[in-house]
Amino acid sequence: MLATLLAAVLTQTPVAPAEPSPLPAPRAPDVSSPTVPLGALPPATHELFQRLEGQVAQVRIIERRSGTRSSIGSAFFVSAAGHAVTNYHVVSDVVIHPDDYTAELVLKGGGEPVPVRLVDVDVVHDLAIIQTAAPVAHFFDLDDREPPQGARLFAMGNPRDLGTTIVEGTYNGFIRDALYERLHFSGAINPGMSGGPTLTGEGRVVGVNVATMGNQVGFLVPVKHARELLTRALGAMDTGAQALLETVRAQLLDNQQRVTERLMGEPVPQQVLGSYRVPGRWSAFLKCWGDTPHDPEVPYTVTNYQCSSEEDIFVSSRHRTGVVSFLHQHATSQKLGALRFASLYSALFAQDPDPVEATRQDVTNYRCQSEFVDVAGLPVRAALCMRAYRKFPGLYDLVLRAATLNASNSGVDTSLTLAGFTADNGRKLARRYLEGLSWTR
Amino acid sequence: MDEVIFLEVLEGDSVQARHRLERFPVSVGRGYGNDVIIDDPKVSAEHLRIERREDGALVLRDVGSQNGTYRVEPWAQLAELELAPDTRVSVGDTLLRFRARSHPVEKTVIAAPPTAPRPRMFERPRSFSLAMQALLGASLLEGYLANYGRTDWGELTVALVVPLGITFLWAGGWSIASRIARRQFHYRTHATVAALVLLGAVLIQPLLTLVGFSLGVSGNLAWAHHAAFLGLMAWGLYWHLRYVTKWEPARLIRVIAVVTLTFGALSRADEWLGNESFSTELGFRRALLPPAFRLVGAEPVEDFFADAVKVQEQVDALAKEP
């Protein structure tokens, strides 16, 4: 559902104009202009591909017991010492289960795969640096110059294990109001191309292929994050598996601190639902939707209002984090008696928001407490539930559920989901959220 | 051996027939010419005789039977046997026992002083119709209150038919047991007990909701639900079994207590052993009632979030488990 919502957002909202880049933008390939002399045209796609093919490789994640690949992705070389950039989600198995998985690279022309070492990761921006033992002759320079919107770009990678390919598309700037910075690339990015580079016509890296929503809607990680990670990785010591997990934990902690400060720094806007005021679009990164199903046969109406960051952080294939979302359901009825309305209201209160994906290895079960709470004169039945992360101590998923109890034929049932926050930050945000509930007589 | 002895035909532990023997010799066999007739196809027409020897002792003698006569302890075929008190002898598939008139009997069982029989409440015809009406009314009301959509007549019909059907089937099962054990069906009594048990089952959840909501109980009251269910089960079993067995009430209560507690423990064993399976469920009580039912006060937001530290401690402890 999230994907369709996000798709809807992207089709409905125009993309923000690209910010002016500090350097003069490189000349965009423009084949339609008849005035440009032939020699001034950028190299044709096949020339670009021939020149750069050797700098892009396929990443294979090898499961030790079966001795064969469990997943694939792409990577590209960024240093003479054999450093290559890929996505965190391509190598996440190696980070989370270092005893069960290893990674290797298949270089140009096939041949024997070479083993690689995982050097550093940036879980929040979904990037990782791997390194081969042997130095490489050709590699990409990571300099950060943003192309103008509409510029022609070329995504490279190994889609669905079909061999290194090059795909043409256009640059459409930063995703507006994103919680985690992403570029919008209008071109076909397919599974297996994750971790490959997207280039300008001159072969300059603009971003790292990371996700797709189908129908030519692709997403890139801005190259500046890859450059920052590479700088850090070049200065880093030899890192063990435990140190990498610690790095991931530190990055998740930093990220939730950033999100918390951003949310706490803004006032909670008030959204009107019937005779209630509820938390509205708290921060720009939240996308809000609402609806009231109209069925003349039912003796009540329920209005939904939900906001979500619609983005998450990939920790492992079955574990996501970094989510902020909330949902209000305003129920009202003129026809139902108090007890039957209470049945309806109980049914709404019993519906939990979509769970954030995680498995037994990642998190504990939830534990809850529920009480009657007085929110500035408005009586509320509130429940606070938490579960702890097993691999990243100090991080929690938190769910706040609350139902107003001031009237016998109307009420607002609300739920807030915070994934990957410290207990203190989670409580602070949940409290600010709960205090955003009020009632106008 | 005494003058008069008794020949007892045994069936299992109990005596099937008892013959008083006064004049000897006595002939035993399948034929109608015998003094004691035994209807066992493996017993010969003239099977054995019991005679008084010259020294006065009673002697059992096989008179050439087809399948022979056997002493039970120790097991041996016999042609002649001097009868001692409590001697047991096997002929064909039949076991015979000989006892003298002086054979001691066990002490009288001391019973509670008997009371005048009074009709129990749910033996009265009125009780059955009242219990049935209460059950159907409760079921109908629950069906009506739980449905917040458009009135669904089909569902309300089901709310009437299902308890009715269950009551009659349930009572049928128990009354067959009564008939086998006590030669009487007691159908109406069993149906009354069944209706009362079902009424309890219908009422447990709303009552717990009422208590949980009014008093603002934080947990989901699963243990209370379990205990109430076990109590109801024990009560129902007790009254059904009163009409099936002849056991003393005290003994019945002991047996039912053991059965109920064992069942209760087994059904909760998983939880008590700490084998909680992974789930993304949020375990708190969901049922809400109209605001007027709330009896306890609401606590300030400050306190609510201060209490949340306990939740954090609980999940931290869970995370430390392997």
Side-chain angles (χ1 to χ4, degrees), chain A residues 340 343 346 367 374 396, chain B residues 145 147 276 286 288 299 316:
Chain A
R340 289 180 78 196
S343 296
S346 301
R367 287 290 180 267
D374 186 327
Y396 302 84
Chain B
L145 291 180
N147 171 30
E276 189 183 356
R286 306 308 180 101
L288 297 174
E299 65 175 9
D316 282 342

Side-chain angles (χ1 to χ4, degrees), chain A residues 183-244:
Chain A
L183 301 175
H184 181 187
F185 170 73
S186 299
I189 292 180
N190 280 300
M193 287 175 79
S194 283
T198 292
L199 315 159
T200 62
E202 296 90 35
R204 194 166 55 73
V205 180
V206 173
V208 183
N209 308 336
V210 66
T212 177
M213 248 164 27
N215 290 330
Q216 307 276 324
V217 180
F219 299 107
L220 315 173
V221 182
V223 70
K224 70 173 183 201
H225 298 299
R227 202 182 53 208
E228 282 163 17
L229 180 61
L230 178 63
T231 314
R232 208 173 67 209
L234 288 173
M237 316 275 172
D238 194 21
T239 45
Q242 192 54 43
L244 273 178

